[in-house]
């Protein structure tokens, strides 16, 4: 089995374009490699394009294992195909579902499979179109995600500032209460000394302090 790898690096662990089935021409392999480089740079997602020389019942399992081997836990997508297949396999890493909406990814994968059902173009053209759809779609999804995050930033900033203001107001209120209590401990109240008679043996029990008459006639002198 011959393995053709059109990639900048010769390390199989990092190559994103692998043509075991020998479907790609050298120029097409280079174009797809450049496309995967662009995808990784602009979207942060590793796009892998792979062809298998032999098909078996465990092709899906092999695709998942290979994607895990090549990208680990990083966001990644694999477009895999082999002779005798009607439609390609498109596998995504679990972390990609945390990055983009599942519905958007499902729609993108359907768009990428569509060229493979077009019998008017060659298999190489199908790969060219499918990889382009994935590349442009992932970049667009990343730009959309960043735009949404930038719109949420002012609200997060507002909430942070509101928390700071409320915290400061609470501290000032506590400090004011503490100062008021401290001032109350040092206050003294003075009452005038009033001479009153004893009443039933109890001091300050009562007595006549002020007397006025409402019937007093004014002095006419």
């Amino acid at each position: 089995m011959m393995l053709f790898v059109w990639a900048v690096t010769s390390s199989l662990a990092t190559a994103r374009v692998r043509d075991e089935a020998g479907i790609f021409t050298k120029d097409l392999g280079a174009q797809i490699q450049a496309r995967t480089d662009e995808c990784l740079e602009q979207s942060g997602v590793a796009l892998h394009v792979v062809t298998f020389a032999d098909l078996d019942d465990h092709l899906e399992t092999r695709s998942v294992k290979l994607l895990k081997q090549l990208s680990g836990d990083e966001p990644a997508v694999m477009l895999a195909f082999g002779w005798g297949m009607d439609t390609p396999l498109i596998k995504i890493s679990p972390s990609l579902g945390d990055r983009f909406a599942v519905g958007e990814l499902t729609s993108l994968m359907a768009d990428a499979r569509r060229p493979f059902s077009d019998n008017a173009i060659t298999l190489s053209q199908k790969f060219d179109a499918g990889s382009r759809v994935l590349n442009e779609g992932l970049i667009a999804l990343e730009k959309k995600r960043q735009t949404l995050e930038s719109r949420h930033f002012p609200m997060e900033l507002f909430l942070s500032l509101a928390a700071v203001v409320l915290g400061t107001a609470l501290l000032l209120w506590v400090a004011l209460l503490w100062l008021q209590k401290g001032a109350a401990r040092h206050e003294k109240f003075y009452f005038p000394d009033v001479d009153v008679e004893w009443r039933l043996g109890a001091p300050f029990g009562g007595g006549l302090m002020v007397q006025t008459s409402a019937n007093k006639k004014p002095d006419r002198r």
Side-chain angles (χ1 to χ4, degrees):
M1 178 179 63
M2 185 173 293
L3 174 66
F4 297 93
V5 179
W6 306 108
V8 175
T9 175
S10 60
S11 172
L12 295 182
T14 57
R16 291 187 297 276
V17 180
R18 310 177 69 166
D19 185 19
E20 295 180 6
I23 296 174
F24 305 155
T25 63
K26 185 175 181 179
D27 289 341
L28 177 60
Q31 291 175 7
I32 295 177
Q33 177 62 48
R35 198 166 289 153
T36 63
D37 292 340
E38 179 186 24
C39 184
L40 182 61
E41 179 181 353
Q42 297 193 23
S43 72
V45 180
L47 172 60
H48 299 274
V49 181
V50 178
T51 68
F52 294 101
D54 57 332
L55 297 180
D56 54 38
D57 295 337
H58 306 288
L59 187 58
E60 291 206 14
T61 303
R62 287 173 58 191
S63 301
V64 173
K65 288 183 177 179
L66 182 58
L67 182 61
K68 177 69 174 179
Q69 173 191 348
L70 295 175
S71 295
D73 297 326
E74 297 299 319
V77 177
M78 175 177 286
L79 172 64
F81 188 82
W83 291 113
M85 296 178 61
D86 295 329
T87 58
L89 296 174
I90 301 180
K91 299 298 179 181
I92 64 174
S93 61
S95 58
L96 195 65
D98 298 331
R99 193 183 189 98
F100 304 130
V102 175
E104 293 175 326
L105 290 174
T106 302
S107 177
L108 177 59
M109 290 189 291
D111 292 341
R113 290 190 183 98
R114 194 167 291 115
F116 287 83
S117 61
D118 187 356
N119 295 325
I121 60 178
T122 65
L123 185 56
S124 295
Q125 291 173 329
K126 293 177 182 180
F127 265 101
D128 185 33
S131 61
R132 182 185 298 110
V133 168
L134 287 175
N135 174 43
E136 294 176 354
L138 290 170
I139 292 175
L141 288 178
E142 176 61 19
K143 290 181 178 179
K144 179 180 178 180
R145 185 182 72 88
Q146 293 181 1
T147 300
L148 292 175
E149 286 186 351
S150 65
R151 290 177 180 175
H152 292 162
F153 177 73
M155 178 58 67
E156 294 176 357
L157 180 60
F158 171 78
L159 293 176
S160 298
L161 292 176
V164 171
V165 171
L166 290 176
T168 303
L170 180 61
L171 289 176
L172 291 175
W173 180 69
V174 172
L176 181 61
L177 289 179
W178 183 82
L179 291 175
Q180 289 179 344
K181 289 183 178 180
R185 287 194 298 266
H186 294 85
E187 287 182 349
K188 293 183 179 180
F189 298 93
Y190 297 94
F191 296 94
D193 294 331
V194 180
D195 294 331
V196 296
E197 299 178 354
W198 282 54
R199 183 176 183 183
L200 301 177
F204 313 112
L208 180 62
M209 294 184 293
V210 179
Q211 179 177 349
T212 182
S213 175
N215 298 322
K216 183 179 180 180
K217 295 180 180 180
D219 190 354
R220 297 181 180 274
R221 287 181 302 173

